[in-house]
Amino acid sequence: METNNIKINPKWSKSKDEIWDEIFANLETKQTSPKKKRLAIWQYAAAAVAAVLIVGTSFAYLYTTTETAERGSHLAITLPDGSNVNLNAESKLSYKPYWWFASRDVKLEGEAYFEVKSGSKFTVLSGQNEVNVLGTSFNIFARAEKYSVTCLTGKVEVVANRDKVVLTPNMQATLNSGIFNVVETINTTQTIGWTQNKFSFIGVPLPDVVKEIERQYDIHVSTTSTMDYLYTGNFSKEKEPEVVLEIVGKPFGITLDIEQ
């Protein structure tokens, strides 16, 4: 069959350009209006600000400053609100400087004398024990052998071993071997004598006295004698450690030596 004479008539009378225009006439390129663009930008900006706030808040809450007084030394600390802390030997104080505007909380291990500026609640945590104050001066001893709080001025609330008591000047609360005791009148000068390098003891177990000497002079003490005694007396750090050990041991006939 010859195909030269075959003629095919198309079923449409429109050109390809017309067909294209007709089919795709209703399709428009979608463009974001300026208003929507501005809204999207503000949304991104708000999200960025929120992220910065979250990160900043987390950093402020988690960042902790720790101050340490090594054995044989004391350390004076000024907190963000101007409160002063005198840290005794072998003691540690931790707080959150960037969270201070929200909570004046500190953690203490060891012994410290506080002079707190008036303001919002100030809390000192030592393990499970807690001291709450508004503006006052007080001393805290928080070591393994004992926990005690002495109020010098103002008022302090002590929470220890599920007991709670409010101390006023010259009062002291003590937790020793699980027994909580409150003394109405004490000699606070002796309690904070360590801030002047003076140490006084009244009926204190001799091993505890020796531990304090070791802390203050950064030494280790040995003896071949029993130390099952209560010591009453005092000493000044101005004296050499050998002299202090002789003063402490002599009433009991005990020789205390510095380990080399």
Side-chain angles (χ1 to χ4, degrees):
M1 171 187 284
E2 294 183 3
T3 58
N4 293 335
N5 296 323
I6 298 177
K7 184 182 290 185
I8 300 176
N9 296 320
K11 296 181 180 180
W12 57 82
S13 59
K14 299 178 181 178
S15 68
K16 62 181 181 179
D17 292 332
E18 291 174 331
I19 293 173
W20 179 273
D21 291 340
E22 183 177 308
I23 293 175
F24 296 101
N26 294 324
L27 295 180
E28 297 180 353
T29 301
K30 294 184 178 180
Q31 296 181 349
T32 305
S33 67
K35 182 177 180 180
K36 290 184 177 180
K37 281 185 178 180
R38 288 194 296 271
L39 180 59
I41 291 173
W42 278 110
Q43 288 175 332
Y44 288 132
V49 171
V52 170
L53 288 175
I54 292 172
V55 172
T57 301
S58 299
F59 173 80
Y61 180 75
L62 295 175
Y63 181 81
T64 301
T65 294
T66 300
E67 305 281 4
T68 303
E70 303 293 346
R71 289 166 61 94
S73 66
H74 296 173
L75 181 64
I77 303 166
T78 300
L79 296 173
D81 64 345
S83 295
N84 295 313
V85 183
N86 195 336
L87 207 56
N88 202 349
E90 200 174 31
S91 300
K92 183 185 298 183
L93 186 79
S94 302
Y95 62 96
K96 302 178 190 299
Y98 300 116
W99 194 252
W100 198 257
F101 69 94
S103 179
R104 298 195 303 171
D105 290 354
V106 301
K107 291 184 179 180
L108 171 67
E109 298 175 27
E111 184 172 17
Y113 171 61
F114 293 82
E115 293 180 337
V116 176
K117 291 286 186 181
S118 298
S120 58
K121 181 178 172 183
F122 186 104
T123 301
V124 184
L125 303 170
S126 300
Q128 301 299 314
N129 305 316
E130 180 177 314
V131 174
N132 300 310
V133 300
L134 291 177
T136 183
S137 59
F138 56 98
N139 190 85
I140 298 179
F141 183 97
R143 301 194 189 275
E145 61 268 26
K146 187 176 71 173
Y147 176 77
S148 68
V149 180
T150 305
C151 180
L152 281 82
T153 62
K155 291 182 180 180
V156 298
E157 179 189 68
V158 181
V159 182
N161 197 32
R162 298 183 181 179
D163 292 303
K164 182 187 294 186
V165 65
V166 174
L167 303 180
T168 54
N170 303 318
M171 291 181 66
Q172 183 182 75
T174 302
L175 178 63
N176 196 356
S177 301
I179 300 175
F180 189 73
N181 185 48
V182 178
V183 179
E184 296 287 341
T185 304
I186 63 163
N187 187 337
T188 56
T189 302
Q190 290 183 346
T191 302
I192 64 169
W194 65 266
T195 62
Q196 305 295 323
N197 287 319
K198 297 177 181 179
F199 301 86
S200 298
F201 305 91
I202 299 176
V204 176
L206 187 56
D208 292 348
V209 176
V210 171
K211 285 181 183 178
E212 190 62 47
I213 295 172
E214 290 178 322
R215 275 192 289 264
Q216 297 303 322
Y217 289 99
D218 190 17
I219 59 175
H220 292 284
V221 177
S222 64
T223 183
T224 57
S225 305
T226 180
M227 293 198 294
D228 190 19
Y229 300 99
L230 296 179
Y231 177 79
T232 297
N234 58 77
F235 67 86
S236 169
K237 198 178 174 183
E238 293 178 358
K239 290 180 169 42
E240 294 298 321
E242 294 85 356
V243 176
V244 171
L245 291 175
E246 184 179 357
I247 292 172
V248 171
K250 191 172 183 178
F252 312 107
I254 294 175
T255 299
L256 301 170
D257 298 312
I258 299 176
E259 292 183 2
Q260 301 299 324

